[in-house]
Amino acid sequence: MSRTDRAGARSAQQLPPQVAAAYRYCEAVTGQQARNFAYGIRLLPTPKRQAMSALYAFSRRVDDIGDGALDTPAKETRLEETRQLLARVRDRDISWDDTDPVAVALSHAAGRFPVPLAGLDELIDGVLMDVRGATYETWDDLKDYCRCVAGAIGRLSLGVFGTVPGAREATHAPEYADTLGLALQLTNILRDVREDADNGRTYLPSEDLEKFGCATGFNSDTVPPGADFTGLVHFEVRRARALFAEGYRLLPMLDRRSGACVAAMAGIYHRLLDRISADPTAVLRGRVSLPGHEKAYVAVRGLSGFDARLVSRQAPRRGT
């Protein structure tokens, strides 16, 4: 264990008992609900892992409201209440004795790290778009939604990770974090296209669906006659890969373990994208996933720094 990690472990041990318990709750939520995410954050030193778990637990709460069984007005009310809780966190109006462990953990994390909490307001805005049945005509329309629900999470995470002193183009780190979030969200949309259709949601841009004859939707495990579903998937995969390539430029700006965390999370989704590309209709038959051993390989590869070194060699300077 490095000197920095030992200091982080001592700091974690010195937390007030209520705060330590709140972080344990958030880590349990993360481990149970976000296995892909958890593969990455377990590579972080304790304070950063705790902060990322707090961010995830709050985000999970927002998502669960949007995906729950309440009617639209009730969901809007719950989301507004959650926004008010976020305002209390921002105003440092949460005591360590508060009965909400997620609020306690998030408040402590925001005191430890320069987390841009406005990103969680953006997440609530994005989930409200879901609740109100928003549809997206163009990629630019969908991109705005993705920036709310995923790009914002990338920027929040960067607040925890930080950048290494002297990192080249570090001023662009939030942009790359945002873009990487878009890549992960577009991969999620492709993976969940059937599940979302069954829940009455369509995220892919209408102009893309019409272009490939898929405007009738995805409520079956077979492709409608005349639809070029494979062409649609490959079109969106190319878009996602371009986003990954841009977003990966963040990696050399991060310290080793933060970079490993990002490389692991992004690497898992990038491999999911490869699987979807290899068999596009698989997403109509069920959820595409990676086996545990492949996720572990991606995590080890990220921890080795291989991905960051590869990006450093390949990425041109801006303006060249």
Side-chain angles (χ1 to χ4, degrees):
M1 181 182 289
S2 70
R3 181 180 303 172
T4 301
D5 291 346
R6 287 195 297 271
R10 286 195 298 272
S11 175
Q13 291 169 358
Q14 294 166 0
L15 293 175
Q18 306 96 315
V19 175
Y23 277 132
R24 286 195 297 272
Y25 174 84
C26 292
E27 290 185 289
V29 170
T30 303
Q32 293 166 5
Q33 302 292 329
R35 293 176 183 173
N36 289 344
F37 187 83
Y39 260 91
I41 69 169
R42 70 178 58 175
L43 303 175
L44 294 169
T46 300
K48 290 185 178 182
R49 186 180 70 248
Q50 290 171 332
M52 291 295 289
S53 295
L55 286 172
Y56 177 82
F58 187 92
S59 302
R60 179 77 265 167
R61 178 178 296 180
V62 175
D63 285 342
D64 285 346
I65 294 171
D67 292 337
L70 297 173
D71 60 21
T72 296
K75 288 182 178 181
E76 290 176 334
T77 298
R78 290 283 303 281
L79 288 168
E80 181 55 35
E81 291 170 351
T82 306
R83 198 190 296 276
Q84 291 170 5
L85 176 64
L86 179 60
R88 288 180 56 211
V89 171
R90 186 182 293 110
D91 293 340
R92 300 292 192 267
D93 190 30
I94 303 292
S95 73
W96 298 154
D97 292 324
D98 195 284
T99 57
D100 187 334
V102 176
V104 171
L106 183 61
S107 180
H108 189 270
R112 263 181 171 175
F113 300 100
V115 179
L117 291 174
L120 292 172
D121 273 307
E122 292 180 52
L123 173 63
I124 294 171
D125 291 340
V127 172
L128 277 169
M129 294 167 73
D130 278 339
V131 167
R132 293 166 179 166
T135 56
Y136 309 97
E137 177 66 27
T138 67
W139 165 240
D140 283 341
D141 296 335
L142 178 60
K143 187 162 57 174
D144 288 341
Y145 165 78
C146 291
R147 288 197 189 284
C148 285
V149 298
I153 301 301
R155 285 177 267 121
L156 285 158
S157 301
L158 182 62
V160 175
F161 299 145
T163 57
V164 295
R168 194 179 74 187
E169 296 188 334
T171 56
H172 297 292
E175 174 187 336
Y176 295 145
D178 182 275
T179 300
L180 201 52
L182 265 64
L184 269 62
Q185 185 64 24
L186 183 52
T187 303
N188 264 338
I189 288 171
L190 289 173
R191 181 194 64 185
D192 298 339
V193 67
R194 174 68 187 281
E195 180 181 335
D196 289 333
D198 289 344
N199 290 325
R201 294 177 180 171
T202 300
Y203 291 99
L204 292 175
S206 299
E207 66 177 15
D208 295 354
L209 300 178
E210 292 172 5
K211 177 179 179 180
F212 292 95
C214 296
T216 57
F218 312 108
N219 293 105
S220 170
D221 59 3
T222 59
V223 177
D228 183 11
F229 183 73
T230 295
L232 172 67
V233 170
H234 285 164
F235 179 79
E236 304 297 349
V237 164
R238 287 193 295 273
R239 175 175 279 154
R241 283 177 173 157
L243 292 169
F244 272 113
E246 178 75 4
Y248 272 140
R249 296 174 70 172
L250 175 67
L251 292 179
M253 303 177 186
L254 306 177
D255 65 69
R256 176 174 172 267
R257 291 178 69 176
S258 296
C261 173
V262 173
M265 290 189 290
I268 287 170
Y269 279 89
H270 201 284
R271 284 174 174 255
L272 277 175
L273 195 67
D274 290 342
R275 289 194 170 214
I276 292 168
S277 180
D279 184 8
T281 58
V283 298
L284 297 178
R285 300 190 297 270
R287 174 170 284 205
V288 177
S289 61
L290 294 184
H293 68 84
E294 195 165 345
K295 293 179 183 180
Y297 166 76
V298 173
V300 170
R301 173 173 160 152
L303 193 58
S304 74
F306 175 84
D307 297 290
R309 292 193 299 273
L310 185 64
V311 172
S312 294
R313 290 196 298 269
Q314 294 179 343
R317 290 179 181 269
R318 276 182 168 256
T320 62

